[in-house]
Amino acid sequence: MKQKKWYDYLWIASLAYLILGFFNILFAWLGLLCFFIPLIIAIVKGNKAYCNKYCGRGQLFSLVGGRFGLSRKKDIPKWMKSACFRYGFLAFFFAMFFLMLFNTYLVFAGTRSLRMTVTLLWTFRLPWHWAYHGTLFSDGTAQFAFGFYSVMLTSTVLGFLTMILFKPRSWCVYCPMGTMTQLICKAKKLPPNGKQS
Amino acid sequence: MIKKKATVSIRECVACGCCMKVCPKNAITIPEGVYAEIDRTLCVGCGKCAKECPASIITLEEVTS
């Protein structure tokens, strides 16, 4: 058995994040850490240390799918690990993310009123008004929180589904952040003349 | 003598690090965030990484030593 490090417990933070969003949606802003930390590590250090060590979501899937056995532990279908699907999913995720940012902008600009819903799988609008208790700032800050929590909850649900159907950390194969940081690392690995060393 | 060693399909590797975490010999590293590298001198061919790999792209190959 390997000695546990402090970062092996980051799954608690991931779980806490999901739970806190039920009580106060503004906690969703903390999720930006899961966006910026991997990107900064990839850009500055040129590696995927975030995925490899610190990703609490991956640890949560390992724990539930591995230790608790909530996974069939079957191979993921070939198409799901193809570059086509991985980059396609990244592009789709980006598009949905920018749509969310645009909706937030509309609330900031006052063109649209605040929608207190969490959109699951980009389709299903779940009422979530109990988690909003007002904000000191513009309603837009709350709209971003609802939007960002939707992104996080959707990816967790997808991750859990593939965890059950395939291997515990199947989400890692098509995780948009993983794909993006790998792309950054690939770009950093290229020598200046553009040819792979 | 025939031994088994783990081999990564580097073209398909997503560099997630699941294999690295379970390797009992710390034989796996992902130095540049692109793919996992297995130190064959350390690998004992236990197959834990192959079982763990979410993309199932690690195989055990027989090598003669």
Side-chain angles (χ1 to χ4, degrees), chain A residues 98-179:
Chain A
F98 282 109
L99 188 68
M100 184 274 281
L101 287 183
F102 182 66
N103 285 330
T104 305
Y105 160 75
L106 290 180
V107 177
F108 265 114
T111 344
R112 190 192 270 180
S113 54
L114 174 66
R115 274 192 193 154
M116 285 181 267
T117 53
V118 163
T119 316
L120 195 61
L121 299 166
W122 309 281
T123 321
F124 308 106
R125 280 222 182 101
L126 313 175
W128 215 268
H129 51 272
W130 62 81
Y132 184 55
H133 315 284
T135 164
L136 290 173
F137 312 101
S138 158
D139 268 356
T141 51
Q143 192 61 73
F144 178 78
F146 279 111
F148 202 82
Y149 193 74
S150 305
V151 171
M152 297 299 268
L153 195 66
T154 297
S155 48
T156 308
V157 167
L158 279 180
F160 264 105
L161 282 177
T162 47
M163 173 199 79
I164 295 167
L165 290 173
F166 313 114
K167 287 193 182 176
R169 280 183 72 158
S170 296
W171 166 254
C172 300
V173 177
Y174 62 98
C175 166
M177 287 313 296
T179 311

Side-chain angles (χ1 to χ4, degrees), chain B residues 1 11 13 27 41 59:
Chain B
M1 193 182 141
R11 201 178 50 82
C13 181
T41 54
T59 45

Side-chain angles (χ1 to χ4, degrees), chain A residues 16-70:
Chain A
Y17 175 81
L18 290 171
I19 295 167
L20 285 172
F22 272 87
F23 295 100
N24 193 329
I25 198 67
L26 294 177
F27 281 115
W29 276 84
L30 289 174
L32 279 176
L33 291 172
C34 309
F35 267 59
F36 285 115
I37 296 172
L39 287 179
I40 292 169
I41 294 178
I43 293 165
V44 177
K45 295 262 215 166
N47 64 38
K48 283 189 51 164
Y50 186 83
C51 297
N52 304 164
K53 291 179 182 165
Y54 310 117
C55 179
R57 173 177 309 207
Q59 291 169 13
L60 194 62
F61 292 143
S62 275
L63 194 72
V64 180
R67 183 135 1 134
F68 298 160
L70 210 70

